[in-house]
Amino acid sequence: MAKGFTSKIVHFQFKQDNQNNHASYGSIHTPIYNSVPYGYQKVEDIIDVFQGKSKGHAYARQSTPTTDSLQNLLAMLDDSIGSLTFATGMAAISATFLSLLKQGDHIICSQYLFGNSYSFFTTLENFGINVSFVDTSRVDAVKTATTKQTKIVFVETLANPGTQIPDLENIGQFCQENGLLYIVDNTMTSSYLFSAKSVNAHLIITSLSKYTSGHGNVLGGAVSDTGLFNWETYPHIFENYRTGNSQSWGLQQIKKKSLRDMGGTLSSDSAYQIALASETMALRMDRQCDSANKLAAFLDSHPKIKKVYHPSLKTHEQHEFAKKHFKHFGAILSFDLEDDVDVIKVLNKLDIAINATHLGDNRTLILPMAQTIFYEMGPENRKKMNIGDKMIRCTIGIEDTQDLIDDFTQALKD
Ligand SMILES: *Cc1c(COP(=O)(O)O)cnc(C)c1O
């Protein structure tokens, strides 16, 4: 049995689909099933599907054989008991929180969040859910913010654009000891660089639009349940979903209340593309992260650059943690230009790097932060989040490393 990350991926669908004489004709990929309804010869069979007694499909908003296959693949990569896919990463995040929370609940989030996640949590506040945004680089901040109403702690493994890393291990332990649901957004590190389960994460969220797919051609999101949370202790599981093995209650509720009722469904076409691209995730990330290390070192010693944010640098606050827990240091790096350097001029001089807002693409993409993603929140919030006017975010692609260094060299010349 193959054990390596990539070996497991490239053999997964063939093995899964061709065992038990499944009628897949030896196909090495799970086909794109585009049927919306699923019909049965005998009415008893569709009744069993509706009642959860058999695993068949009923309607494509909830599942298709293609999305199921991707879900199983992702569950394997996350070392989880199950996974649900959604149309986008934001759909996965909103689905998870909306189906597990009630008015009056309190949640604790990292103050360094993907911009749209931050915006979503401020929307939750309109529904009577209290949110504390804290500096999660120290577990004490989480402990201090915890109240009797706290249900969930949410962090990202590697924040963008500042590359902050939370106190992942200690927060995991604190959540486990206090019955809090620990949700980790593993998008920036992916299951290849980091096992969120190893720090006791209960739910793992991944935007599949990023490293999992990599080619900038498809959107998707997923939530995996590591099986480490005791759902019997969670007060908001509806009576209907308190059936069967209690380990499955959480995903069961997220599936019914969000995928079915809110409908942020991943299409079979997209599921196929994502599964296909995941085959090269490790190869791509090896190259991307290696280039990021080299570029970080290059930029760090450049006179026109004030500060570089990348966990490979010894000056990075969580360098030691990243070295111990992450396979690589990630392929996102940001930097502040010196005050007298014109950010627009530098960006326009770059030839290879594209001005675009995305992460984890095969192409190197760059963006000034204060003027774009963090524009809407205003200068005060930007200051709190440490987003300066001269900050540029790069997400390193798979181009040849020397080409990237040459491009930054010429763009930073007078
Ligand atoms: C991109 C991203 C998301 C949202 O994913 P989409 O697929 O673009 O909706 C969520 N979290 C993180 C950390 C991201 O980078």
Side-chain angles (χ1 to χ4, degrees):
M1 184 58 195
K3 287 216 172 64
F5 187 85
T6 298
S7 313
K8 286 198 295 192
I9 296 177
V10 296
H11 292 283
F12 184 80
Q13 293 194 321
F14 175 76
K15 281 221 165 73
Q16 177 189 253
D17 293 358
N18 290 282
Q19 68 193 12
N20 306 328
N21 286 328
H22 190 291
S24 55
Y25 309 104
S27 172
I28 55 169
H29 302 289
T30 304
I32 303 169
Y33 287 94
N34 273 335
S35 185
V36 173
Y38 286 80
Y40 293 82
Q41 302 282 355
K42 293 206 315 233
V43 70
E44 295 93 315
D45 291 340
I46 193 167
I47 290 172
D48 281 351
V49 171
F50 265 81
Q51 296 184 0
K53 290 175 189 152
S54 87
K55 275 194 170 236
H57 304 278
Y59 192 71
R61 190 178 344 99
Q62 291 169 69
S63 68
T64 73
T66 319
T67 55
D68 247 19
S69 176
L70 177 64
Q71 286 173 175
N72 293 338
L73 172 68
L74 297 169
M76 174 186 73
L77 296 182
D78 282 331
D79 193 10
S80 286
I81 57 168
S83 195
L84 284 175
T85 54
F86 292 86
T88 65
M90 288 318 300
I93 291 173
S94 54
T96 301
F97 284 84
L98 289 172
S99 53
L100 294 176
L101 290 173
K102 276 189 183 167
Q103 188 176 17
D105 285 342
H106 172 247
I107 61 174
I108 300 170
C109 298
S110 164
Q111 71 190 38
Y112 302 110
L113 282 186
F114 178 67
N116 304 150
S117 298
Y118 177 86
S119 174
F120 169 70
F121 290 120
T122 62
T123 308
L124 277 188
E125 290 180 317
N126 287 349
F127 291 88
I129 291 155
N130 299 305
V131 188
S132 299
F133 294 100
V134 307
D135 179 359
T136 50
S137 65
R138 278 170 193 80
V139 67
D140 289 345
V142 175
K143 286 183 185 169
T144 307
T146 302
T147 70
K148 280 206 169 66
Q149 280 70 43
T150 308
K151 295 282 180 301
I152 296 174
V153 178
F154 178 74
V155 298
E156 294 175 4
T157 50
L158 179 59
N160 117 62
T163 70
Q164 297 91 346
I165 299 170
D167 195 352
L168 289 161
E169 227 174 356
N170 290 320
I171 296 173
Q173 196 185 337
F174 175 74
C175 288
Q176 196 69 20
E177 285 165 5
N178 291 275
L180 302 173
L181 186 63
Y182 187 28
I183 306 184
V184 175
D185 183 331
N186 196 25
T187 301
M188 281 300 103
T189 31
S190 87
S191 50
Y192 179 52
L193 298 196
F194 179 60
S195 158
K197 190 180 181 181
S198 73
V199 293
N200 263 321
H202 300 126
L203 297 178
I204 304 171
I205 289 189
T206 310
S207 165
L208 306 173
S209 322
K210 311 291 169 55
Y211 292 102
T212 315
S213 63
H215 297 66
N217 66 335
V218 63
L219 290 161
V223 52
S224 298
D225 187 327
T226 58
L228 297 177
F229 190 68
N230 180 3
W231 291 103
E232 288 177 35
T233 64
Y234 198 77
H236 304 336
I237 299 293
F238 290 82
E239 208 46 51
N240 282 349
Y241 311 132
R242 292 178 170 270
T243 57
N245 184 343
S246 61
Q247 272 193 321
S248 67
W249 293 359
L251 278 193
Q252 207 154 283
Q253 178 150 317
I254 297 169
K255 181 169 181 181
K256 299 286 172 136
K257 287 295 167 193
S258 317
L259 205 52
R260 186 192 64 187
D261 297 358
M262 298 175 204
T265 306
L266 186 73
S267 72
S268 288
D269 285 291
S270 297
Y272 174 84
Q273 300 265 10
I274 293 164
L276 188 65
S278 73
E279 295 182 4
T280 54
M281 175 162 48
L283 282 74
R284 288 184 272 110
M285 289 197 86
D286 283 342
R287 166 85 82 120
Q288 288 166 305
C289 295
D290 182 55
S291 288
N293 289 349
K294 288 175 178 150
L295 212 56
F298 165 79
L299 293 168
D300 196 42
S301 62
H302 198 287
K304 288 203 175 156
I305 292 186
K306 196 191 250 176
K307 179 161 180 168
V308 179
Y309 305 85
H310 191 254
S312 67
L313 300 170
K314 293 221 167 62
T315 48
H316 190 284
E317 235 184 282
Q318 289 90 24
H319 170 74
E320 287 305 325
F321 177 90
K323 203 163 128 182
K324 183 168 159 215
H325 292 274
F326 296 172
K327 189 172 185 72
H328 303 303
F329 294 107
I332 170 170
L333 77 90
S334 301
F335 54 90
D336 295 323
L337 292 168
E338 286 290 358
D339 295 339
D340 58 347
V341 183
D342 184 344
V343 60
I344 302 298
K345 215 164 145 188
V346 170
L347 289 174
N348 280 334
K349 269 175 93 178
L350 281 163
D351 178 42
I352 292 177
I354 302 171
N355 298 303
T357 178
H358 184 41
L359 297 154
D361 198 274
N362 284 344
R363 283 142 287 264
T364 296
L365 310 177
I366 47 165
L367 205 63
M369 287 291 98
Q371 298 81 349
T372 59
I373 295 173
F374 294 92
Y375 182 73
E376 186 181 299
M377 67 169 56
E380 261 176 44
N381 281 325
R382 279 201 294 277
K383 200 158 178 217
K384 264 193 250 162
M385 294 182 82
N386 206 18
I387 310 287
D389 291 344
K390 302 268 172 177
M391 184 186 230
I392 294 173
R393 179 185 83 190
C394 315
T395 155
I396 307 304
I398 60 170
E399 298 95 342
D400 299 86
T401 311
Q402 194 56 48
D403 285 339
L404 292 174
I405 291 177
D406 290 348
D407 198 22
F408 278 92
T409 305
Q410 66 80 22
L412 289 164
K413 271 216 182 92
D414 291 316

